[in-house]
Amino acid sequence: MRHLTTSVGGVETFYRETGPEDGPVVLLPHGYPGSSFVYRHLMAALGDRWRLIAPDLPGFGYSATPAPEEFGYTFDAYAEFLYDFTQHLGLTRYVIWLHDYGSQFGLRLAMRAPDRVAGLIIQNGDIYEDAFGPKYDALRQFWADPGPESRRGIAAHVSSEGFRDEFAGELPDHVADRIPPDLWTLHWALMQTPERVANLIRLLEDQPSTLAWFDRQRAYLREHRPETLIVWGPHDGYMPEAAARAYHRDLPEAELHLLDGGHWLLETHLDEVVPLVRAFLDRVLPSAASSP
C-alpha cells in the first residue's frame, strides 16, 4: 500500500494506492462519513493484479479542508473534484466502485466520460427514490422544510454518536460485532473540527440536489449498458434489498449478490465480496497476470 499526497486544483489530496503502477485501474471514491480507510482491506486483497486508487475527498480523512469560498462542499463540487482527480493522475480507463455518496460522484464521472468506464461495482449506493429505506424519513422532513431548524436536526447527527450509528446501525447481532470501532472513532477524530463539521452539514443539506440526477443516471445505465456487478448488504436502514433489486429495472443483466450484511460489507463480508469482484474484474478489466 502506498500512501500519497498530491495537489488537485490547489487542494492537497491524500490518497491510497496499491497494485502494479501499470495495472488496470479500479477507482474507489468514498462516501459519508468515511474516507479511503474504508477500502484498505479490499485494496490489500486485490492489489496483486489491479491498481486500486482511493482518494480522501476534500474535508475528509487526511486531505485538506479548503475554505467554503474555495470549495463548495456540494455534490456538484465533489463530482467535479473526482473528475479533476482522474485527470490529474492521467486515468483513462477504469472500473468505478459506487458506494454511499461516492456512488453519486462516481456515476457523474461515468456519465461525463462513458468511454473510459470498463465497468461499475455497486455496493449500497442508491438511485431509486421509491426504494429508499426508513432512515430516509427524517431526511425527507429536513428536505421538505429547509432552514435553521432543519440545519439543527442535521447537525445533531454530525457527532460521535451519529457516526457510530452510521457504521453500526441496523445490523443483526451475528454481524454487528464484526464492525470495528476504529471506523467511527477514527473518522470522528478526523472530522470534529468546527470547519469540517460545518462543511459536512453543508453537504448533507445539499443532498436533495441528488434527486434531480436520478433520472439522468438511470438513462445513462440504459443507454450505455456498462458491465455491472452489484454486491449489497440488505441490512441497511437507507438502502434495503429493494434498492439493490431496483437496478434491474435499467440493467436487467447486472450480476446481483445479496449478502447477509449491511452498509459496510467490506468490514463484515470481505471474504465473500473479494471472489465475486475478482471474477468480475477478470472479465471486464483483465490484468496481464493470469488469475491465481
Side-chain angles (χ1 to χ4, degrees):
M1 188 81 70
R2 299 179 289 279
H3 304 88
L4 306 168
T5 302
T6 189
S7 179
V8 179
V11 179
E12 185 174 295
T13 303
F14 173 89
Y15 65 102
R16 302 171 200 261
E17 179 178 332
T18 191
E21 294 185 2
D22 60 349
V25 172
V26 180
L27 183 63
L28 303 161
H30 67 80
Y32 164 81
S35 68
S36 62
F37 181 76
V38 303
Y39 292 117
R40 66 203 183 284
H41 295 317
L42 180 75
M43 296 175 75
L46 300 175
D48 57 329
R49 294 175 49 210
W50 290 277
R51 181 187 177 196
L52 294 100
I53 303 172
D56 283 356
L57 300 173
F60 288 87
Y62 298 112
S63 287
T65 306
E69 298 78 19
E70 300 169 0
F71 186 82
Y73 298 99
T74 63
F75 282 82
D76 286 347
Y78 280 109
E80 186 70 21
F81 177 86
L82 185 63
Y83 174 79
D84 291 344
F85 179 78
T86 64
Q87 292 291 99
H88 181 75
L89 292 189
L91 307 181
T92 59
R93 186 73 171 165
Y94 34 72
V95 163
I96 310 174
W97 195 283
L98 304 178
H99 177 243
D100 196 86
Y101 283 4
S103 63
Q104 283 298 309
F105 315 141
L107 272 172
R108 294 197 204 182
L109 174 65
M111 295 165 66
R112 186 164 180 171
D115 57 313
R116 299 182 179 183
V117 179
L120 304 174
I121 300 174
I122 307 174
Q123 179 219 335
N124 294 67
D126 54 355
I127 59 170
Y128 297 88
E129 188 176 358
D130 65 316
F132 280 177
K135 286 188 83 169
Y136 272 109
D137 292 347
L139 291 175
R140 289 180 192 270
Q141 294 178 18
F142 296 145
W143 301 343
D145 186 22
E149 188 64 30
S150 291
R151 187 171 298 115
R152 282 191 289 271
I154 291 173
H157 294 283
V158 183
S159 64
S160 59
E161 295 80 9
F163 275 34
R164 186 187 187 284
D165 181 65
E166 291 296 326
F167 285 113
E170 295 88 52
L171 289 174
D173 290 343
H174 67 279
V175 175
D177 61 3
R178 302 184 198 176
I179 296 288
D182 311 75
L183 285 176
W184 61 86
T185 302
L186 169 67
H187 287 103
W188 179 243
L190 291 171
M191 187 60 69
Q192 60 177 328
T193 69
E195 294 79 12
R196 285 194 161 191
V197 168
N199 295 333
L200 186 52
I201 292 170
R202 289 189 185 95
L203 179 61
L204 295 170
E205 286 185 301
D206 187 56
Q207 190 174 358
S209 71
T210 64
L211 304 180
W213 279 87
F214 284 0
D215 283 343
R216 283 176 276 181
Q217 289 162 346
R218 295 193 293 262
Y220 158 78
L221 297 179
R222 292 192 300 271
E223 177 183 354
H224 293 278
R225 321 299 292 184
E227 296 282 355
T228 301
L229 168 68
I230 305 171
V231 287
W232 203 278
H235 301 297
D236 186 335
Y238 293 110
M239 306 171 197
E241 179 177 334
R245 294 194 180 278
Y247 278 96
H248 278 164
R249 304 174 193 172
D250 299 298
L251 288 176
E253 67 280 11
E255 181 183 347
L256 169 62
H257 298 271
L258 295 166
L259 306 180
D260 187 25
H263 198 72
W264 305 94
L265 277 181
L266 301 184
E267 299 294 335
T268 62
H269 290 74
L270 183 75
D271 290 346
E272 295 176 50
V273 171
V274 166
L276 299 172
V277 173
R278 291 185 77 93
F280 178 75
L281 293 177
D282 275 334
R283 179 165 59 85
V284 306
L285 198 68
S287 65
S290 60
S291 180

